[in-house]
Amino acid sequence: MIQNWIIAGATGGLGSAIARELADHGCSLSVLATEKSREVLEQNARDLGIRSGEEVKTKVFDALKTDDWSALIDEMRPNPKEPFGVIWAAGVLSPQKDLQNDLTRAQHDHQLNYVAAMQFLEAAVAQMKPLDEGHVVALGSPAGDRGRRSNYFYGASKAALHTYIEGLQHRLATSAIRVTLVKPGPTRTRMTAGIQKPLMSDPKQQAKRIVQAIRDGKPLIYTPPIWWPVMCIVRHLPRFIFYRLDF
Amino acid sequence: MTSWHQETIAGWGRSRVSVTHAGDPRRVEELPDYVAERKHLVARGLGRSYGDASLNTGQAVVRMESVDRAVEFDREQGRIVCEAGMSLDDLITITLPSGWFPAVTPGTRYVSVGGCIASDVHGKNHHVAGTFSQHVNWVELLTADGSIVRCSAEDNADLFHATAGGMGLTGIIVRACLQLQKVDSSYLMVRRERTLTLQDTMRALVEGDREWDATVAWLDGVAPETRMGRGEVILGRHIGRDELPERLAYNPFRSLDEPLVDLPVDMPFSMVHRSVVRAFNQFRFSRIQEGDSFENVRQFYYPLDVAQGWNRLYGPHGFHQYQFVIGDDDAESLIGDLLYRFHRSGLVASLVVLKRFGAESGWLSFPKPGWTLAVDTPSNMRLFELLEEFDERIVADGGRIYLAKDSRLAPDRFRRMYPEYANKWLDVKRKYDPECRFSSDLSRRLRIDDDVLGDGA
Ligand SMILES: Cc1cc2nc3c(=O)[nH]c(=O)nc-3n(C[C@H](O)[C@H](O)[C@H](O)COP(=O)(O)OP(=O)(O)OC[C@H]3O[C@@H](n4cnc5c(N)ncnc54)[C@H](O)[C@@H]3O)c2cc1C
Ligand SMILES: NC(=O)c1ccc[n+]([C@@H]2O[C@H](COP(=O)([O-])OP(=O)(O)OC[C@H]3O[C@@H](n4cnc5c(N)ncnc54)[C@H](OP(=O)(O)O)[C@@H]3O)[C@@H](O)[C@H]2O)c1
């Protein structure tokens, strides 16, 4: 497995759990979040450093205001001789109703969930090319598998990410750069705070499965794995049934 | 910025749900705001207490899950400073590879450091190591006035003694410094003995305590009347690399494995039926591997952690754990009676654990010399009637009930069981929290709030 990782969204429920899991495997980390979470990021970094025994780099940035993605990656990556991986764990899930009523906000969400993700990953791949080694990981969502009235703005941004990753995987099929798309089921994080549903996964357990998939170099995982058959069925439900379901 | 959500939570026994305002701080520095925003609140760790200790119906709980970082780890001295929400699972992941293990651990590693201090938990090694808080160098406590006070057995000792075992009622533990025990591998040498009667079991434990650091017995709670008290005595001691067979010695600090099974949904009815437990226990009893073997810390200390959410097996009504301690003289007859009465009343004692305690420590800490028995049973009315009767016998014999497992003890019996409550604890509570800001379903049930605020308040 790659030893050096850059994580965007490292203060999030999933991002911070993945960072810990990697640190527990002795990986060297660079972690990013926004100004809002500066202190959390710094404190997390200290914990990560104790776990990994490695220096942890931190940086605050705003994915919506970043122009030079290449410079960002350059600053966070290890020296040019060492391969590295990147993980896109940033994202936002606004209530569907709010987005329907405010298309500027919908645009903002898409900008973060898809456009910024694509720019971050694309810039990283460009820097991995000289060594032809590296690992690109993105957190997508089963919500991108079929549009539903309750969250189709969010779903559409994740569907775009899915198609982008698929294409990237095709492009890198003959290279040693690995690409992993993770589709987590509902997980207890700030993104889902206050939503009480059965079957909410624990971020720590999710992170264990995600890091295992990264080590195995899997191209696509649903986690927990049950979401794969569930989404298979959801995708193929005939419309006359699908439209009657309330979700 | 604080973050509160109305949520439905429960204790580990799940016999009652509680609607509450749950706060989710992310940093220690945010905590004073959480305290300032609510009139009554209590900290919650990982919710592994069985009863109402970490519930606060209609009021607020502050969940410490995200305030769980390692702050400093001294690998030479085996001292770790961590935030109170850190789980023992994480703690062990960090410290075991350098040869350090918690000096005291309960039977699950999914508990928080704060919860272990607030319940002053004990482990299989109580007879040699005492309780968790005896290995705490200091704690930092956020008190009712919003200040953070560092206390230890030396400094602000009154606050320290009131906080260890204080069930979260003195304030929110935000950080702690723990002294760990040195281990030379993640393995123990374990001896298992099959016992046929209660007397047999107790004798084997007394003998085991003389030579082994960690001792406990599992009893078959649904055994036929003539076999009451039969079970398995389990003895262990940590060993070094030199004592390990080659197949284990090449990787002496093998890490903890993950849970194998996860039960994420509620069962619509209880799976814990007498016939199921009987079949399971029969199987387990007949399969006991007598003799010595090597087990890693996970197998030895945390057998229940192989299944996440196993408490859901008990269905919508949940279950109760009755844990008490009773002096040597009365132990055998009382425990024998209890098993017999359970049997006679058709109650299913699905899990029964017996252990002998060492010396007493602390003010509200549970352990005292004698025998402790913990019995898991699906909740029902008959059970509670029977337990009333046993409560009275236990008080009369100078024993006590463990608050971390309790949801039903009567206030007057609590006072008789824990004399230091009135002698010492209450004064410290009044001094640091005169308005009783830190309160919980447990503190109201035991009428601790009334004592603090004065009559009728
Ligand atoms: C399978 C299993 C086995 C167990 N085995 C044992 C055992 O062998 N020995 C033993 O002693 N116990 C045992 N227990 C009980 C358990 O160790 C205690 O209930 C412990 O307190 C749980 O920790 P928690 O973090 O889940 O706390 P919670 O259940 O969330 O809270 C317990 C109490 O601690 C307080 N608290 C929690 N965090 C803080 C904080 N940061 N500051 C102030 N107060 C706080 C709460 O207010 C509450 O009063 C076991 C429990 C289970 C489920
Ligand atoms: N939780 C779920 O149930 C679930 C399910 C499926 C997929 N996912 C996906 O998994 C990813 C992580 O989700 P999560 O639940 O961990 O969310 P989260 O806890 O809300 O974390 C979101 C992360 O994104 C960062 N972020 C937000 N706006 C940003 C911006 N403008 N620039 C840079 N970073 C920004 C946040 O940083 P700050 O802390 O600085 O704000 C934070 O680190 C998301 O892509 C999400 O869509 C989540």
Side-chain angles (χ1 to χ4, degrees), chain B residues 12 42-50 53-54 64 84-85 105-108 110-116 118-123 141 167-169 171-174 304-305 310 323 402 404-405:
Chain B
W12 188 247
V42 77
R44 180 169 161 102
L46 290 173
R48 254 52 174 199
S49 54
Y50 285 67
S54 65
M64 298 295 286
T105 173
T108 169
Y110 301 110
V111 287
S112 69
V113 167
C116 287
S119 299
D120 199 9
V121 301
H122 57 268
L141 186 75
M167 306 309 287
L169 300 174
I172 301 180
I173 300 163
V174 297
L304 288 170
D305 287 348
W310 57 262
Q323 183 171 7
Y402 192 7
K405 310 286 176 75

Side-chain angles (χ1 to χ4, degrees), chain A residues 36-75:
Chain A
K36 284 203 306 282
S37 297
R38 179 189 286 277
E39 292 93 345
V40 172
L41 187 69
E42 296 296 339
Q43 294 185 359
N44 286 359
R46 184 166 177 162
D47 168 84
L48 295 171
I50 292 172
R51 288 165 185 266
S52 65
E54 302 279 332
E55 190 89 23
V56 178
K57 277 194 214 168
T58 62
K59 185 176 173 65
V60 296
F61 83 123
D62 185 340
L64 299 175
K65 300 204 178 103
T66 303
D67 301 318
D68 194 344
W69 289 92
S70 190
L72 180 77
I73 303 275
D74 205 36
E75 188 187 336

